């Protein structure tokens, strides 16, 4: 059972506290993504798991055993880095085989393992090439192959796709998830890219300023963010967030207009933030809610409308391609109130 557990983990760099009492359990064979903005502590936590950073306090467990003082090479972990970290003078075969050669594994066994990894990652025809003769995606697959042949208990990925173009990132997301599904290992994946997290993870751990904000499945995090940070961080395009005051008639009063809601636990005159995702808004001629269009963006399959609603920037996404709406138009909007999110202004916590 390749379960990974973090108990009361703290990390300080001098007087700067980077991780603040992290408690997290990653189940056996789960694909878990550590997601958050730059500087939130996610890579530090990953490097502590690999043994590349010391732990200020707390304990890390793998399969129930504490690994704090175990040398990195003895942790049965394989790590794939952002910059590939390949040996430029070695061909693909030797790059993949290097860790096995260091262990003095038999020649035939090394050959079998490398050829198996190359077949899994579609690298068979490139085994005699050097890294400079490969594309970025091929180099990343070589780095994955080097990790794969070790047959580790835990795979660690540190933003492995950030150097690739958009199309190649989409392809490599599929490759990494397929690799995980084929192995009996646990995967911990660090990224600041929410698309990677939403499409790949069994579970997402959202981090911010050295703490964990929420742990949940991608769907739950998207549909029920537990605070304003999570709501704003997850979703593309970003959620609309509007400050207002609750009224007795189940609306949120903005400057001049009101937004309906269906929540029960809101008190009259409570200061809240009303959140609604751009895809949960429709153009509805019968609605009294009005917004003035500032910009219309066409992506092909969708039209993104940026408008002003009571001095707030407000984004609407229409499916179905091009729209006849133009800059300067006033559009009537209806909101799916069952999908609205309400947060307390002072605590930033979700109100259900």
């Amino acid at each position: 059972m390749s379960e990974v557990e973090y108990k009361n983990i703290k990390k300080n760099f001098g007087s700067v506290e980077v991780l603040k009492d992290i408690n997290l359990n990653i189940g056996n064979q789960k694909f878990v993504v550590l997601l958050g903005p730059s500087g939130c502590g996610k890579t530090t936590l990953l490097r502590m798991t690999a043994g590349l950073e010391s732990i200020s306090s707390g304990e890390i467990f793998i399969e129930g055993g504490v690994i704090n003082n175990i040398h990195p090479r003895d942790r049965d972990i394989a790590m794939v880095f952002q910059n590939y970290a390949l040996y430029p003078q070695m061909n693909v075969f030797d790059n993949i085989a290097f860790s096995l050669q260091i262990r003095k594994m038999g020649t035939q066994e090394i050959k079998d393992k490398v050829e198996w990894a190359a077949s899994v990652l579609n690298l068979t025809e490139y085994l005699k090439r050097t890294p400079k003769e490969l594309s970025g995606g091929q180099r990343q697959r070589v780095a994955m192959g080097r990790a794969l042949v070790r047959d580790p208990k835990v795979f660690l990925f540190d933003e492995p796709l950030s150097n690739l173009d958009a199309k190649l990132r989409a392809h490599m997301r599929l490759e990494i998830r397929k690799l995980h599904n084929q192995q009996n290992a646990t995967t911990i994946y660090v990224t600041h890219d929410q698309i990677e997290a939403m499409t790949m993870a069994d579970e997402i751990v959202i981090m911010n300023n050295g703490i964990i904000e929420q742990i949940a499945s991608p769907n739950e995090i998207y549909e029920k963010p537990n605070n304003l940070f999570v709501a704003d961080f997850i979703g593309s395009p970003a959620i609309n967030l509007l400050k207002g005051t609750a009224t007795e008639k189940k609306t949120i009063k903005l400057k001049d207009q009101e937004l309906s809601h269906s929540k029960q636990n809101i008190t009259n005159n409570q200061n809240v933030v009303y959140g609604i995702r751009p895809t949960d808004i429709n153009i509805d001629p019968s609605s009294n809610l009005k917004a003035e269009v500032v910009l219309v963006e066409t992506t092909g399959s969708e039209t993104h409308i940026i408008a002003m609603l009571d001095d707030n920037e407000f984004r609407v996404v229409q499916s179905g391609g091009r729209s006849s709406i133009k800059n300067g138009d006033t559009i009537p909007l209806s909101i799916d109130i069952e999908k609205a999110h309400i947060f307390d202004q002072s605590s930033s916590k979700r109100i259900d």
Side-chain angles (χ1 to χ4, degrees), residues 270-295:
Q270 183 175 358
N271 291 325
V272 300
V273 178
Y274 189 102
I276 187 71
R277 298 202 180 275
T279 50
D280 296 328
I281 306 164
N282 294 307
I283 295 175
D284 181 359
S286 65
S287 175
N288 293 321
L289 184 66
K290 309 290 184 182
E292 183 178 348
V293 177
V294 175
L295 183 65

Side-chain angles (χ1 to χ4, degrees), residues 75-142:
R75 295 189 181 196
D76 206 1
I77 283 172
M79 188 165 180
V80 179
F81 297 91
Q82 176 182 347
N83 63 358
Y84 319 138
L86 303 179
Y87 297 103
Q89 75 277 16
M90 294 182 182
N91 62 23
V92 170
F93 183 98
D94 288 333
N95 264 286
I96 295 175
F98 185 70
S99 65
L100 307 181
Q101 294 165 347
I102 291 295
R103 295 181 187 180
K104 303 190 183 302
M105 191 176 285
T107 303
Q108 187 59 47
E109 188 177 1
I110 290 175
K111 184 173 183 293
D112 291 343
K113 277 182 169 287
V114 171
E115 289 179 348
W116 166 75
S119 67
V120 169
L121 296 167
N122 295 318
L123 290 170
T124 301
E125 63 183 287
Y126 305 110
L127 287 175
K128 293 183 179 179
R129 295 190 187 183
T130 57
K132 69 179 180 181
E133 299 174 295
L134 304 176
S135 69
Q138 289 163 347
R139 292 177 196 174
Q140 193 56 272
R141 292 208 302 272
V142 175

Side-chain angles (χ1 to χ4, degrees), residues 151-249:
D151 193 24
K153 295 174 184 173
V154 181
F155 282 102
L156 304 179
F157 288 87
D158 184 16
E159 303 203 38
L161 309 184
S162 60
N163 293 335
L164 307 181
D165 62 54
K167 184 177 181 180
L168 193 50
R169 281 202 305 270
H171 174 71
M172 290 304 298
R173 289 201 303 264
L174 174 63
E175 292 289 338
I176 291 172
R177 184 66 218 209
K178 282 168 58 180
L179 174 62
H180 170 83
N181 292 343
Q182 291 168 4
Q183 307 305 308
N184 294 318
T186 300
T187 299
I188 307 174
Y189 187 103
V190 161
T191 185
H192 61 269
D193 186 328
Q194 57 165 298
I195 301 300
E196 289 180 25
M198 295 292 287
T199 55
M200 298 171 73
D202 297 321
E203 195 169 66
I204 298 174
V205 179
I206 295 191
M207 298 181 66
N208 182 37
N209 291 328
I211 65 169
I212 293 174
E213 298 279 3
Q214 187 169 358
I215 305 170
S217 68
N219 282 345
E220 185 177 350
I221 279 182
Y222 184 82
E223 294 171 1
K224 287 191 172 184
N226 65 7
N227 60 41
L228 275 172
F229 174 82
V230 176
D232 196 28
F233 195 78
I234 290 291
S236 180
I239 192 172
N240 296 300
L241 295 171
L242 306 147
K243 289 184 178 181
T245 304
T247 72
E248 292 180 337
K249 52 185 181 177

Side-chain angles (χ1 to χ4, degrees), residues 254-265:
L254 306 178
K255 180 183 175 184
D256 298 315
Q257 304 191 73
E258 295 184 10
L259 302 173
S260 299
H261 68 85
S262 61
K263 309 301 181 186
Q264 302 297 323
N265 299 322

